[in-house]
Amino acid sequence: MKVTFPRMGTLDIPLKAFFTSLGIEVVVPPPISDKTISLGARHAPEFSCLPLKINVGNYLEAYEMGADTIVMAGGVGPCRFGYYAQVQREILADLGINYDMVLLEPPKGHLGETLRELWELTGRASPARIFRAGRLTWAKLKLLDEVERLTAKARCREKNEGQAGDVYRRALTWIDAAASPGEVALAGERIRRAFAGVELKDVVPLRLGLVGEIYTVLEPAANLYMERFLAKLGVEEERGIYLS
């Protein structure tokens, strides 16, 4: 089994940590590109939303890399997200692509089903092992959110353009490499020192709240790298939602 999942911001880092901690091989789709969006738009219904189309592109690219199982969330709410998995399954089947789709419904009202799906997916791992994998995943999620906030503060004030972005990219690498909550904590200390070394201008920037649908807020390719654009204008943004 080679598991893949949709990309959304930096969510691939904690998800990869969770599955690899349980001995599951992971195929992370390539970063979202024009090719990804083009593939999804070509094969998804015209009236479907951009996130669904990007997800389809993720799956097609991951399939080319050897993935055979998709882990996808279900749900209820104000949009059609809860139907994504069913629609995407039909699209892939029409293309003759043999993917197993593991659907994880929100625990409320589906707790037993969700736990059973997760248990089967993890090869019936012990609760203790799943708990340890969950702790590592949560530690990475929390640190990634801190990195996003540190980057937002530094990027709009940096004296040397690109310095905060360089630290951000290194921070993601350090978090990805951490193999335990203790290593995540050490990575956090290293990241804070790195951001403290970014030379900042003595300015008071305009602070702007960035709100909207979760996927388009968290995924830069879906919002045309809005946060980076705002930072170049000297604007500090605060998201209405973060991964954790």
Side-chain angles (χ1 to χ4, degrees):
M1 179 171 61
K2 296 182 180 180
V3 166
T4 193
F5 37 75
R7 290 193 77 113
M8 183 176 73
T10 56
L11 185 60
D12 59 293
I13 293 174
L15 283 183
K16 185 175 76 169
F18 180 77
F19 291 118
T20 54
S21 294
L22 296 166
I24 299 171
E25 188 172 350
V26 173
V27 177
V28 178
I32 296 167
S33 63
D34 288 346
K35 177 189 174 185
T36 311
I37 298 171
S38 177
L39 280 170
R42 186 184 313 155
H43 298 295
E46 182 274 333
F47 57 81
S48 62
C49 60
L50 179 62
L52 186 146
K53 292 172 180 174
I54 294 177
N55 289 176
V56 171
N58 291 153
Y59 301 149
L60 293 175
E61 290 185 307
Y63 186 76
E64 293 175 359
M65 298 165 64
D68 55 31
T69 303
I70 297 168
V71 177
M72 182 64 182
V76 294
C79 76
R80 286 176 279 188
F81 176 72
Y83 296 105
Y84 271 30
Q86 288 79 6
V87 173
Q88 291 163 352
R89 183 188 284 120
E90 292 301 318
I91 292 170
L92 295 169
D94 287 347
L95 293 173
I97 293 176
N98 186 27
Y99 254 131
D100 287 331
M101 179 81 77
V102 178
L103 180 60
L104 300 178
E105 293 285 359
K108 187 176 182 181
H110 302 273
L111 182 59
E113 179 185 337
T114 301
L115 292 175
R116 187 164 52 253
E117 288 277 12
L118 187 59
W119 189 51
E120 293 291 344
L121 177 64
T122 60
R124 302 191 174 189
S126 69
R129 191 176 182 190
I130 294 175
F131 176 75
R132 287 194 297 270
R135 278 188 63 209
L136 175 61
T137 302
W138 183 248
K140 292 195 177 194
L141 275 170
K142 294 295 287 183
L143 184 53
L144 285 165
D145 283 354
E146 183 180 349
V147 167
E148 297 291 348
R149 288 187 168 97
L150 288 169
T151 304
K153 283 187 175 297
R155 194 180 264 157
C156 63
R157 295 174 171 88
E158 62 186 359
K159 286 184 178 180
N160 305 308
E161 187 176 340
Q163 189 179 7
D166 289 342
V167 174
Y168 175 78
R169 287 185 288 274
R170 281 185 282 144
L172 298 189
T173 301
W174 297 335
I175 297 171
D176 191 28
S180 69
E183 290 186 16
V184 174
L186 290 174
E189 293 174 8
R190 188 179 184 186
I191 288 165
R192 291 177 202 107
R193 287 196 301 270
F195 273 106
V198 176
E199 292 187 75
L200 304 179
K201 302 172 187 173
D202 185 16
V203 295
V204 179
L206 173 69
R207 297 191 72 241
L208 180 145
L210 187 63
V211 299
E213 187 271 333
I214 181 172
Y215 186 92
T216 48
V217 170
L218 296 182
E219 176 46 57
N223 62 41
L224 303 180
Y225 299 88
M226 178 65 68
E227 293 172 75
R228 196 165 64 192
F229 173 74
L230 290 170
K232 284 187 176 181
L233 297 178
V235 176
E236 179 183 350
E237 54 79 24
E238 173 71 22
R239 292 182 190 169
I241 193 166
Y242 290 83
L243 276 177
S244 62

